[in-house]
């Protein structure tokens, strides 16, 4: 059996072929643009370009489509930082501190940190994919429905734990997201739920219309142009590189985001989104200056941007090694290979080594290409800030409409985006953070399916989640309980009910 | 009684939860051993109603609704209304015409920018987006009566 180095050498001999390099570059370029354009995520980009790969051989097709996927993770940060619009869902967390950095005149630094963090994490992810894919994939294989349920609950509790608003507000938003995720046909019984005879709602509410509405249009509605004229930063060339202090502050979050992102990435679900949320939570929680989060913390950009890139690479582990798609993007990528008569899975490495290792090697090259593409072009992207806001925001509104429409060619999706924009405006007024709603929506299908499967498996015995036979689920639930206890303790210590009542009475007077 | 921010927020969530509960009438709840299509949404709606009521109960700690800044509301309402009009016209008029109109009205009428730059920007931006999506990416944007 060839060693990993021999196999990698074979991979690089494939990846360095001029036509493979060209398709990797095309994928990375399109991916960066797809990530930047609000409303057009990697799934839409890959779906739109899937027919264009029919004439290509399998290696070129998968190299180009995967380049779009991980390239979009680089590009997604740009619009988040410059416009506070998530170019794609995994960049939602970057909006918070990335945009705050931009408002402080550090847009260039935020973009550079995001690009370097993405490169480090992407390359780290590929190294791990190369070296430790089999054991990690084996670990993910041990996850059954109870473990998924526990993991998703932990994700929500993590979010509540790190939230800047109160626990009750975060949980209400998560509930709203999970409820929106319940709209459509129930996959287990076929019941239509809350579709109100609108046939387009039968497939459920998409993540893109909700995320673009809440974070894109909602932001525009909350920002009258006369308030922006003096606030928009127009950084000079000298401001485009991070300072030594900013590099220092970003190093550890990039490292943590890379590890966390890869580990979350191998678990099925919209891992790159969850990874960025979790990374933000971790960085905020361990920071010595948590009050800076939301106001332009470097770690709030470096961590999530690294995590989403590492997760997008990690998602390839179960797809390539086990033939398990971890989400809709990897499902489409698998479909691209299946169309060519190549089945991803354990046999892929032995039966089509040139495809497997060529693809892995192309990701090393692709990450270098993306760094080269994104860093020199940072200045070009920053010029977007120089467009007067009175011209820029109508363009963003139009991009939101076009981007959301193009995902499914559905006007209903655009209406949903519009409604969510208004909801986002109202939520800001009422001091709610919309991020838990998006996370709830993302995890809703997997959460419901795994919860119900767990209950069916145990014949209705809910202790399956805490059973010694399920140590992973029990551990994850124990961590969730510990986090909730910590939240409760800090709430009790700061807010005695008598003091709270006295404060309330004082306010009332 | 002073109407406070969390009176509104809590009330909205409690009502939303109650609405979902009412709309879940025909969904089977099932049992723990055989969960139905209604189990998760009904549980979530009940949780949401309880959370909304909880927020209502502690609303006295939140600022008065009148203290919140609503100066951006007229602009927000205008932009939302124009965006809604654009969505309604997207299919009947097509993207090119709707997009140009939306940009022009927002820039010229709402933002009161000079006529010529506003018109030129509206036409050019719509043209670039139309070329990018409809021609280069061959993704079908709605065509109007003029064929584009």
């Amino acid at each position: 059996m060839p060693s990993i180095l021999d196999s990698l050498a074979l991979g690089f001999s494939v990846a360095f072929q001029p036509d493979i390099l060209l398709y990797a570059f095309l994928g990375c370029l399109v991916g960066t643009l797809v990530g930047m354009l609000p409303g057009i995520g990697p799934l839409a980009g890959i779906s739109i370009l899937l027919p264009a790969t029919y004439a290509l051989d399998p290696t070129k097709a998968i190299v180009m489509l995967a380049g779009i996927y991980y390239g979009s993770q680089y590009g997604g940060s740009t619009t988040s930082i410059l416009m506070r619009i998530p170019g794609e869902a995994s960049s939602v967390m970057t909006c918070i501190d990335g945009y705050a950095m931009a408002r402080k005149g550090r847009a260039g630094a935020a973009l550079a940190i995001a690009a370097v963090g993405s490169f480090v994490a992407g390359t780290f992810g590929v190294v791990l994919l190369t070296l430790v894919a089999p054991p990690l994939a084996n670990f993910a294989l041990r996850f059954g429905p109870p473990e998924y349920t526990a993991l998703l609950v932990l994700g929500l509790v993590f979010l509540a734990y790190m939230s800047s608003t109160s626990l009750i507000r975060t949980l209400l938003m998560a509930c709203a997201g999970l409820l929106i995720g319940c709209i459509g046909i129930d996959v287990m019984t076929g019941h239509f739920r809350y579709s109100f005879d609108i046939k387009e709602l039968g497939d459920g509410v998409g993540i893109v219309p909700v995320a673009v509405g809440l974070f894109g249009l909602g932001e525009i509605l909350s920002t009258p142009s006369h308030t922006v004229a003096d606030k928009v930063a127009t950084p000079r060339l000298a401001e485009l590189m991070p300072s030594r202090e900013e590099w220092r502050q970003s190093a550890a979050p990039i490292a943590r985001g890379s590890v966390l992102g890869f580990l979350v990435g191998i678990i099925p679900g919209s891992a790159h989104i969850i990874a960025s949320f979790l990374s933000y939570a971790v960085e905020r929680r361990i920071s010595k200056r948590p009050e800076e989060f939301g106001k332009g913390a470097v770690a709030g950009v470096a961590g999530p941007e690294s995590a989403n890139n590492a997760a997008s690479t990690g998602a390839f582990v179960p797809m390539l090694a086990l033939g398990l798609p971890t989400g809709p993007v990897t499902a489409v990528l698998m479909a691209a290979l299946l169309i060519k008569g190549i089945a991803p899975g354990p046999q892929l490495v032995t039966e089509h080594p040139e495809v497997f290792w060529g693809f892995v090697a192309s990701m090393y090259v692709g990450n270098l290409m993306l760094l080269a593409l994104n860093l020199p072009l940072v200045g070009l992207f920053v010029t977007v800030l120089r467009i007067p806001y009175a011209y820029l925001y109508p363009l963003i509104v139009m991009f939101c409409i076009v981007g959301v429409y193009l995902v499914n060619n559905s006007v209903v999706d655009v209406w949903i985006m519009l409604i969510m924009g208004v909801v986002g405006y109202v939520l800001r007024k009422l001091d709610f953070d919309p991020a838990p709603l998006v996370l709830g929506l993302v995890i809703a299908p997997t959460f419901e399916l795994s919860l119900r499967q767990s209950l069916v498996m145990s014949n209705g015995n809910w202790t399956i989640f805490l059973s010694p036979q399920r140590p992973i689920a029990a551990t994850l639930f124990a961590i969730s309980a510990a986090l909730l206890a910590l939240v409760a303790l800090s709430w009790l210590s700061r807010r005695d009910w008598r003091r709270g009542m006295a404060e309330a009475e004082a306010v009332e007077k | 009684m002073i109407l406070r921010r969390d009176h509104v927020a809590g009330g909205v969530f409690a009502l939303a939860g109650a609405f979902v509960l009412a709309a879940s009438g025909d969904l089977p709840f099932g049992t723990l051993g055989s969960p139905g299509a209604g189990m998760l949404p009904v549980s979530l709606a009940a949780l949401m109603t309880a959370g909304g009521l909880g927020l209502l109960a502690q609303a006295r700690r939140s600022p008065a609704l009148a203290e919140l800044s609503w100066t951006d509301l007229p602009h927000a309402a205008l932009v939302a209304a124009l965006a809604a009009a654009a969505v309604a016209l997207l299919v009947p008029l097509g993207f090119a015409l709707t997009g140009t109109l939306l940009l022009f009205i927002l820039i010229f009428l709402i933002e009161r920018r000079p006529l010529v730059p506003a018109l030129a920007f509206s036409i050019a931006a719509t043209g670039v987006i139309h070329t990018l999506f409809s021609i280069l990416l061959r993704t079908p944007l709605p065509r109007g009566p003029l064929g584009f």
Side-chain angles (χ1 to χ4, degrees), chain A residues 32-189:
Chain A
T32 303
L33 290 172
V34 157
M36 281 176 59
L37 293 173
I40 305 177
L43 182 60
I46 290 170
S47 304
I48 290 166
L49 287 174
L50 186 60
T53 64
Y54 289 167
L56 303 178
D57 71 46
T59 311
K60 288 174 193 162
I62 192 72
V63 160
M64 189 175 93
L65 294 175
I68 296 174
Y69 182 30
Y70 57 82
S72 69
Q73 306 303 311
Y74 278 71
S77 60
T78 306
T79 26
S80 296
I81 290 166
L82 298 184
M83 300 176 181
R84 203 174 188 263
I85 295 172
E88 66 106 28
S90 67
S91 301
V92 164
M93 299 315 280
T94 313
C95 286
I96 302 169
D97 284 286
Y99 186 67
M101 281 182 76
R103 297 290 280 266
K104 290 200 291 193
R106 304 303 298 152
L111 286 166
I113 286 168
V116 171
S118 297
F119 169 73
V120 172
T123 307
F124 174 79
V126 186
V127 171
L128 283 191
L129 173 68
T130 311
L131 294 177
V132 293
L136 280 175
N138 278 337
F139 182 73
L141 266 181
R142 287 153 59 185
F143 275 53
E147 284 75 20
Y148 287 129
T149 310
L151 182 75
L152 296 173
V153 167
L154 178 62
L156 284 175
V157 172
F158 242 122
L159 197 64
Y161 183 59
M162 69 94 176
S163 176
S164 57
T165 61
S166 68
L167 179 66
I168 193 167
R169 290 181 127 73
T170 307
L171 291 179
L172 276 170
M173 294 308 293
C175 269
L178 286 166
L179 269 174
I180 295 171
C182 288
I183 294 172
I185 299 172
D186 173 32
V187 290
M188 285 181 84
T189 63

Side-chain angles (χ1 to χ4, degrees), chain B residues 37-113:
Chain B
M39 181 178 275
L40 184 69
V42 167
S43 308
L44 288 169
L47 200 62
M48 186 187 264
T49 309
L53 293 174
L55 210 53
L56 260 175
Q58 56 180 5
R60 289 204 300 179
R61 291 178 193 154
S62 67
L65 198 64
E67 284 175 19
L68 302 179
S69 169
W70 293 100
T71 53
D72 53 1
L73 184 61
H75 181 268
L78 261 176
V79 174
L82 283 168
V87 178
L89 293 172
L90 190 62
V91 173
L93 284 189
F95 166 73
L97 216 53
T98 310
T100 308
L101 272 174
L102 174 69
L103 288 181
F104 181 71
I105 292 172
L106 280 172
I107 297 168
F108 180 66
L109 294 180
I110 308 297
E111 297 302 326
R112 300 181 184 283
R113 296 292 163 140

Side-chain angles (χ1 to χ4, degrees), chain A residues 442-457:
Chain A
V442 168
I443 68 170
T446 317
F447 177 70
E448 182 174 23
L449 190 65
S450 53
L451 177 68
R452 287 165 71 181
Q453 282 177 337
S454 305
L455 290 171
V456 171
M457 276 167 63

Side-chain angles (χ1 to χ4, degrees), chain A residues 11-21 365:
Chain A
F12 277 111
S13 71
V14 174
F16 280 127
Q17 289 170 12
D19 47 352
I20 300 282
L21 281 174
V365 182

